[in-house]
Amino acid sequence: MSKRNKNTATQNKPGRRILWLIIAVLAVAIGFLITIKQNDNPVKSLTPPASKTIFSAPEFQKHGTLTFFKNDGDKVVTIDIEIKDSGYEQADGMMRRDTMEELQGMLFIFADETERSFWMKNTILSLDLLFVNSRNEIVTIHKNAVPFDKSNYKSDAPAKYVVEVLSGFTDKYNIVVGDKIEWTKIESFGQ
């Protein structure tokens, strides 16, 4: 190789490196923009086609049962419940769940009794939210909470428990403020 050819080859190496660096930066930027665009639609980003599913929606786990009673003590209906009694579990709640049976629900148990608020961020299903005080009395009902809604659904009075059931459940079973709940935990749960 002549001296001239050797110098030309050396001069081209930094140019090639810069070109490859530019291509890599553009590829990353395009990938980032595509990801942002896909996340504009929360339904698409949370429910990808089955062939592209990275994670699956959590499945219902029966931790106990919960019975609704009228204020006069008459039994209304009993459902299976999944219990959420820790911070992380409570924050996750019904997020990403795409199915739940009519006679299933989620019970949130808090250490204290105070005014509470829930939202429907990343919640696919429309729900009825029931806020319950420490005497097991329903103090607030929010019917038909809107999926993916970031509004706060607040209790009208201090609550220690929150029950989530499918939208329309409270109307179907005529559950109203002042009715009560009783719940039991499966012995093996939480031990």
Side-chain angles (χ1 to χ4, degrees):
M1 180 184 263
S2 73
K3 193 172 187 175
R4 181 174 177 213
N5 286 345
K6 188 175 181 182
N7 287 341
T8 305
T10 306
Q11 291 172 354
N12 284 339
K13 281 187 181 180
R16 285 185 195 159
R17 287 183 188 145
I18 291 173
L19 178 64
W20 281 111
L21 181 63
I22 291 170
I23 291 171
V25 167
L26 286 174
V28 169
I30 290 169
F32 179 72
L33 291 174
I34 289 170
T35 301
I36 288 174
K37 183 65 179 163
Q38 287 176 341
N39 286 337
D40 285 347
N41 183 343
V43 175
K44 280 185 181 178
S45 68
L46 293 173
T47 55
S51 62
K52 295 182 181 179
T53 300
I54 296 170
F55 62 88
S56 60
E59 291 185 25
F60 179 83
Q61 297 178 27
K62 182 178 177 179
H63 297 156
T65 59
L66 184 144
T67 303
F68 292 92
F69 292 91
K70 297 309 286 176
N71 197 18
D72 63 9
D74 288 345
K75 179 181 171 182
V76 178
V77 64
T78 299
I79 64 171
D80 293 335
I81 53 169
E82 185 168 334
I83 296 173
K84 301 294 182 181
D85 57 5
S86 72
Y88 171 76
E89 291 175 342
Q90 291 169 343
D92 195 42
M94 287 291 294
M95 289 184 182
R96 302 179 318 280
R97 306 263 177 135
D98 54 3
T99 62
M100 187 166 70
E101 301 295 321
E102 178 182 318
L103 296 178
Q104 292 178 335
M106 191 168 284
L107 173 65
F108 295 81
I109 303 171
F110 296 94
D112 61 344
E113 182 175 38
T114 189
E115 291 183 3
R116 306 216 173 271
S117 66
F118 273 44
W119 65 354
M120 297 289 289
K121 182 182 177 188
N122 296 329
T123 304
I124 299 168
L125 301 171
S126 180
L127 302 172
D128 288 351
L129 308 174
L130 299 89
F131 294 82
V132 181
N133 67 21
S134 60
R135 295 180 307 281
N136 293 342
E137 298 167 334
I138 299 170
V139 295
T140 305
I141 298 175
H142 288 284
K143 298 178 181 184
N144 307 311
V146 178
F148 302 105
D149 187 6
K150 293 181 183 175
S151 302
N152 285 318
Y153 294 89
K154 296 179 181 181
S155 62
D156 295 331
K160 182 172 175 65
Y161 309 102
V162 178
V163 181
E164 293 180 337
V165 290
L166 286 177
S167 181
F169 181 89
T170 55
D171 284 339
K172 180 173 183 175
Y173 293 99
N174 191 31
I175 296 168
V176 297
V177 169
D179 289 348
K180 296 186 175 187
I181 66 167
E182 284 184 14
W183 56 276
T184 57
K185 221 186 248 192
I186 296 173
E187 286 186 31
S188 61
F189 171 70
Q191 295 178 358

